[in-house]
Amino acid sequence: MQLEVEQYTNSEKNLHVCLKHFEKQRDILGKAAVYGILGILHFKSCAYQKSIDYYNMAHEIYKEFNQIQEQITCLKGIGINLIKLNQFDEACDNLLECSALCSNINDIYNLLDCLGNLIYIHEKQENWDVVSELYKKTLKAFKELNDNRGTIVSYFNLGILEKRGNDFSQAIRYFKKGTNIAIDSNYIELILKGLGYVGEILVYQGKMNAAKEVYIKALSTSEKFKVKNSIIQIKILLKSLGLNEEEIEKELRNYRNLRIK
């Protein structure tokens, strides 16, 4: 309770009392649990090196007793602290070890946490090839969990990376895959985002008519679900392609009539 309400000094004193109790009882796993909580406490109070020290002490005990889930928690904690200290190489080592343990016991949720932190590190270092491989691993993990939203976002992230590298054919492939899943799942926000990505790539490829058709589809969806900001943005994009207000309304009518038939 004290830890939750940020009473760190009192919380630490009580935890050390608990630690002495477990030492008297020769309860090694009890000690490890307290070390882990002290790791959390010092992370929350921004004492990152102290947090690492306690997580390491807990990890050594859990490793000795082959407590895999607890080892994962400690390694994640160490990795996050190292990121805060900008010690990215050491953080990667910890998070990769943690990822391996997660894979061994099929702990997909913790694996995704590790991958997310690894992505953050490699994005900071602009290691785009590594980031791409990590996004592919997150995509696989989200598919295993049948998490459509996570799968869609992973496809979009891969598309953004390919766009960064000017591989527009690969980028649009990822964007279309994500958008199709969004349509099947009826995620309106992600449908509109995906159509926007697809339209943007088509413009880069010089396929203005195809881009116009995608933006009209997005505008129709936006109006159907009354997404005001999206309506304004898409109309601006269509006008940048040379359409005036009257032509936009005409294209909308044609699109809706074709869908009715």
Side-chain angles (χ1 to χ4, degrees), residues 76-125:
K76 267 176 55 180
I78 293 166
I80 294 166
N81 276 292
L82 288 166
I83 289 171
K84 291 289 187 181
L85 293 170
N86 293 322
Q87 296 177 18
F88 295 132
D89 290 343
E90 294 89 340
C92 279
D93 290 342
N94 271 278
L95 292 165
L96 286 169
E97 184 181 349
C98 187
S99 298
L101 284 177
C102 293
S103 296
N104 288 342
I105 64 168
N106 202 32
D107 184 346
I108 305 298
Y109 291 105
N110 275 315
L111 175 62
L112 283 167
D113 280 347
C114 290
L115 293 173
N117 284 309
L118 286 165
I119 286 167
Y120 171 80
I121 292 168
H122 288 291
E123 281 181 338
K124 291 275 284 185
Q125 297 177 328

Side-chain angles (χ1 to χ4, degrees), residues 119 122-135 161 164:
I119 286 167
H122 288 291
E123 281 181 338
K124 291 275 284 185
Q125 297 177 328
E126 299 187 357
N127 298 327
W128 303 119
D129 289 343
V130 178
V131 173
S132 179
E133 289 305 310
L134 289 168
Y135 274 135
L161 282 178
R164 182 192 291 273

Side-chain angles (χ1 to χ4, degrees), residues 62-237:
Y62 288 133
K63 196 171 183 180
E64 183 183 346
F65 284 85
N66 199 32
Q67 303 287 306
I68 304 298
Q69 203 69 58
E70 288 77 9
Q71 286 181 59
I72 288 168
T73 300
C74 291
L75 288 169
K76 267 176 55 180
I78 293 166
I80 294 166
N81 276 292
L82 288 166
I83 289 171
K84 291 289 187 181
L85 293 170
N86 293 322
Q87 296 177 18
F88 295 132
D89 290 343
E90 294 89 340
C92 279
D93 290 342
N94 271 278
L95 292 165
L96 286 169
E97 184 181 349
C98 187
S99 298
L101 284 177
C102 293
S103 296
N104 288 342
I105 64 168
N106 202 32
D107 184 346
I108 305 298
Y109 291 105
N110 275 315
L111 175 62
L112 283 167
D113 280 347
C114 290
L115 293 173
N117 284 309
L118 286 165
I119 286 167
Y120 171 80
I121 292 168
H122 288 291
E123 281 181 338
K124 291 275 284 185
Q125 297 177 328
E126 299 187 357
N127 298 327
W128 303 119
D129 289 343
V130 178
V131 173
S132 179
E133 289 305 310
L134 289 168
Y135 274 135
K136 286 172 184 174
K137 287 182 179 180
T138 63
L139 175 63
K140 182 183 176 184
F142 281 125
K143 283 183 174 179
E144 285 182 28
L145 292 171
N146 294 316
D147 184 332
N148 285 345
R149 185 175 288 274
T151 301
I152 294 161
V153 172
S154 295
Y155 274 128
F156 288 170
N157 286 332
L158 283 164
I160 291 166
L161 282 178
E162 296 297 344
K163 184 184 77 169
R164 182 192 291 273
N166 293 320
D167 189 343
F168 298 132
S169 59
Q170 187 74 334
I172 202 167
R173 187 173 76 86
Y174 284 130
F175 287 141
K176 283 181 175 178
K177 281 190 172 186
T179 304
N180 288 337
I181 296 170
I183 290 168
D184 291 341
S185 306
N186 201 31
Y187 293 147
I188 305 307
E189 176 193 349
L190 293 174
I191 292 169
L192 294 173
K193 186 174 281 192
L195 291 172
Y197 286 141
V198 171
E200 182 185 10
I201 297 298
L202 290 168
V203 169
Y204 287 146
Q205 293 177 321
K207 300 175 181 178
M208 300 307 177
N209 283 334
K212 179 196 71 177
E213 289 172 9
V214 169
Y215 287 139
I216 288 294
K217 181 177 181 179
L219 181 58
S220 178
T221 303
S222 297
E223 290 193 348
K224 180 179 178 181
F225 293 97
K226 298 181 174 60
V227 187
K228 291 182 181 179
N229 288 341
S230 185
I231 293 168
I232 294 166
Q233 290 168 6
I234 296 165
K235 283 189 174 182
I236 291 169
L237 288 169

Side-chain angles (χ1 to χ4, degrees), residues 5-17:
V5 296
E6 300 181 2
Q7 293 180 6
Y8 299 130
T9 303
N10 290 334
S11 180
E12 186 175 4
K13 284 179 184 175
N14 289 329
L15 285 167
H16 280 289
V17 171

